[in-house]
Amino acid sequence: MSRILPIVLCGGSGTRLWPLSRKTLPKQFAPLLGDKSLLQLTLERLRLLSTDVMCVAAEEHRFLVQETTQAAGVGGSQLLEPSARNTAAAMAAAALLAEPGQLLLFAPADHHIPDPDKLAATVRSGVAAAQAGYIVTFGVVPTFPSAGYGYIRQGAPLEGSAGEQGARRVDAFLEKPAADRAAQMILAGGHFWNAGIFLVQAQVLLSALAQHAPDILESCRRATARPTRDGDFIRMDRAAFESCRSQSIDYAVLEKSEQVAVVPFEGVWSDVGSWNAVAALHPCDEQHNRISGNGFAIDATRTFIHAPTRPVVALGTRDLLIVDTPDALLVAHSDNAEQVKDAVSLLTTRGRSQATRHRRVPRPWGAYDSVDDGERFAVKRLTVKPGAKLALRMHHHRAEHWVVVKGAAQVLCDGTATLVRENESIYIPPGTVYQLGNPGKTVLEIIEVQTGGYLGEDDVVRFEEGSEPDSTQAAAQRLIA
């Protein structure tokens, strides 16, 4: 069996799952099922095929992906997109960086497939067709006439060994149909939901792009001509990649190519595209209520509650979706689940930050949570990973007061290193060159109180290694040591 390299496509904004999914934390990174994100579940599934995985992700999400790959127990690299350009460009860039004969399995990061063994077996059954020069897609056997999914209509079986495992030619890709048309297709048989999972040799995909979307291929070829590598991160040329037009692989290649095959997948699958879909992933009680977290339903029917932190009580409700987060609450009728994106648009036009940003912001060293803010003050909770440190920095307009609530902090202030223990505090005046580090083996937690006339996140000067004063550099070395 040829080695398969899974490539996880981590793009997408996921506005239909607001307020949990936002631009800074799209649905693939949000903990939708227990404490695991859809990306982590995807990586754990693909681990059955390979522990070496490439993720194609936005530059701003690179640390979220890095954190998740570590939690999932997989290694590999991240191909960073300077801007979103849809699946055709993402797949083209990944294929250009692979060996020509490498089998690439492209999979979305935000789908739910609870039977990883069945998926792995289905993917392996498509290897012969992929090696024979086909782009192999995996069609989900439909369980109901959905008008929300695209469909694949199968054609004749492939010839020879390529068709031994049930692979057939794709006769057509069909747009999302009306409900009655979807019912007709299911009754007719031979139609599958399009899950957007593809197995293909790198050279086969590149040849198809050269034939059907040469402009996309050329832009990506220029973007990947001289990639830069920083640890696990692979960066492309920004200008070249951003010159690429945005189009899905379905429209750019698959609907035009005659070398596309389909292998049926008979397992459970969901694209988790709405809060109704999320609700369906949870068990229901006798009144058909579904609860995630700290939700309570009293005399309620067909109500979904997502309450990861504080208690949320639904009393006498019917057919509601209730989604709670620390800084925004959604209450919607289940019939209006597809209109959540309109709420995001409204909040965006009103200039509300909750439309796109969460309170908690991940950073390579850990995260910060904006607890409270007002005139001339802001309160944050910092968590710093064991052995991690913030970059050496300075603020012009704000002072910072830190109280260590868990662990011990090593703090560098204008060349003087200090160890600040639990229940101790330290004051960082404006204009101080400072650095925070966690020398311990557990997570460091700090309550930070900012004061001053301007508290914007852009009031920061970060120093590159070697650019700070000699005394500060020497103390920084002692701090790191």
Side-chain angles (χ1 to χ4, degrees):
M1 179 70 69
S2 297
R3 188 177 73 86
I4 295 172
L5 174 64
I7 299 178
V8 182
L9 305 175
C10 301
S13 59
T15 55
R16 288 182 294 174
L17 294 186
W18 184 90
L20 191 63
S21 174
R22 307 184 196 182
K23 182 180 179 181
T24 58
L25 188 77
K27 71 172 183 177
Q28 58 267 31
F29 303 112
L32 277 173
L33 295 171
D35 60 349
K36 291 186 178 182
S37 66
L38 293 174
L39 175 58
Q40 182 172 342
L41 293 170
T42 297
L43 293 169
E44 290 176 355
R45 286 195 300 272
L46 297 177
R47 194 171 56 195
L48 297 178
L49 295 166
S50 175
T51 56
D52 184 27
V53 177
M54 172 184 279
C55 293
V56 184
E59 174 84 22
E60 64 185 299
H61 298 144
R62 63 192 184 280
F63 299 117
L64 289 169
V65 177
Q66 188 177 58
E67 220 173 51
T68 308
T69 55
Q70 291 171 355
V74 300
S77 58
Q78 276 192 59
L79 178 58
L80 302 179
E81 295 179 292
S83 298
R85 287 297 182 268
N86 218 312
T87 53
M91 293 171 64
L96 285 163
L97 295 173
E99 294 295 323
Q102 175 72 65
L103 279 177
L104 308 177
L105 177 70
F106 293 96
D110 55 357
H111 291 181
H112 179 59
I113 303 173
D115 191 342
D117 292 306
K118 181 168 287 187
L119 176 66
T122 304
V123 169
R124 292 187 182 105
S125 70
V127 167
Q131 290 178 326
Y134 288 88
I135 302 173
V136 180
T137 183
F138 300 92
V140 177
V141 177
T143 54
F144 63 95
S146 172
Y149 299 143
Y151 284 75
I152 300 168
R153 184 169 67 229
Q154 70 178 17
L158 300 186
E159 298 178 357
S161 61
E164 288 181 359
Q165 300 297 324
R168 303 172 74 98
R169 289 183 179 274
V170 169
D171 188 51
F173 286 90
L174 308 171
E175 296 291 337
K176 296 176 182 178
D180 57 345
R181 176 58 180 149
Q184 292 172 8
M185 289 191 291
I186 288 184
L187 290 173
H191 291 81
F192 308 99
W193 290 335
N194 184 1
I197 303 174
F198 310 102
L199 182 68
V200 61
Q201 293 183 73
Q203 60 193 3
V204 170
L205 178 60
L206 296 176
S207 295
L209 284 160
Q211 181 179 357
H212 302 293
D215 59 318
I216 292 178
L217 179 60
E218 177 56 28
S219 295
C220 292
R221 196 182 298 279
R222 288 187 287 108
T224 58
R226 288 182 295 276
T228 61
R229 296 178 183 267
D230 175 17
D232 295 336
F233 303 131
I234 304 173
R235 290 181 170 85
M236 299 179 280
D237 181 86
R238 175 179 292 274
F241 192 78
E242 290 183 342
S243 71
C244 184
R245 64 183 169 93
S246 177
Q247 192 172 36
S248 73
I249 194 68
D250 299 72
Y251 291 135
V253 172
L254 300 183
E255 292 185 358
K256 304 171 183 176
S257 175
E258 296 181 356
Q259 290 296 106
V260 184
V262 60
V263 173
F265 173 64
E266 298 181 352
V268 176
W269 168 86
S270 171
D271 71 345
V272 200
S274 70
W275 279 115
N276 283 333
V278 175
L281 301 179
H282 296 81
C284 64
D285 61 18
E286 293 179 355
Q287 287 72 44
H288 301 282
N289 300 306
R290 301 173 187 268
I291 309 295
S292 173
N294 296 309
F296 300 89
I298 303 173
D299 192 27
T301 304
R302 297 182 299 276
T303 294
F304 172 66
I305 306 173
H306 179 85
T309 52
R310 59 188 172 182
V312 174
V313 180
L315 177 60
T317 60
R318 302 289 185 273
D319 301 304
L320 284 189
L321 301 165
I322 303 173
V323 183
D324 187 40
T325 67
D327 62 346
L329 171 68
L330 170 71
V331 181
H333 193 281
S334 57
D335 290 346
N336 298 91
E338 295 296 333
Q339 294 174 250
V340 171
K341 59 182 182 294
D342 298 332
V344 178
S345 298
L346 174 63
L347 291 173
T348 301
T349 59
R350 298 289 176 87
R352 302 304 296 265
S353 63
Q354 291 88 346
T356 58
R357 297 199 302 273
H358 275 280
R359 272 183 25 170
R360 184 182 183 274
V361 178
R363 286 290 185 259
W365 42 263
Y368 68 82
D369 181 10
S370 298
V371 177
D372 194 11
D373 65 84
E375 187 176 354
R376 298 184 62 84
F377 83 92
V379 181
K380 294 182 178 180
R381 175 176 171 265
L382 308 184
T383 52
V384 185
K385 300 173 186 177
K389 66 180 186 298
L390 284 68
L392 198 69
R393 62 188 62 201
M394 182 265 288
H395 304 291
H396 289 291
H397 303 288
R398 75 175 186 240
E400 295 185 351
H401 308 250
W402 294 343
V403 179
V404 176
V405 296
K406 182 179 178 182
Q410 281 188 304
V411 183
L412 178 73
C413 288
D414 284 340
T416 301
T418 304
L419 184 67
V420 185
R421 297 177 175 83
E422 193 170 307
N423 295 323
E424 295 179 346
S425 63
I426 191 169
Y427 171 61
I428 314 292
T432 301
V433 177
Y434 73 91
Q435 185 176 46
L436 170 65
N438 179 6
K441 296 182 179 180
T442 60
V443 172
L444 167 66
E445 295 185 17
I446 290 176
I447 300 299
E448 175 183 283
V449 180
Q450 301 176 2
T451 58
Y454 180 73
L455 304 176
E457 289 299 323
D458 56 345
D459 176 28
V460 58
V461 178
R462 292 182 177 86
F463 295 94
E464 299 292 338
E465 289 293 331
S467 65
E468 57 275 13
D470 292 340
S471 60
T472 303
Q473 171 69 14
Q477 293 302 321
R478 293 196 299 272
L479 177 67
I480 296 168

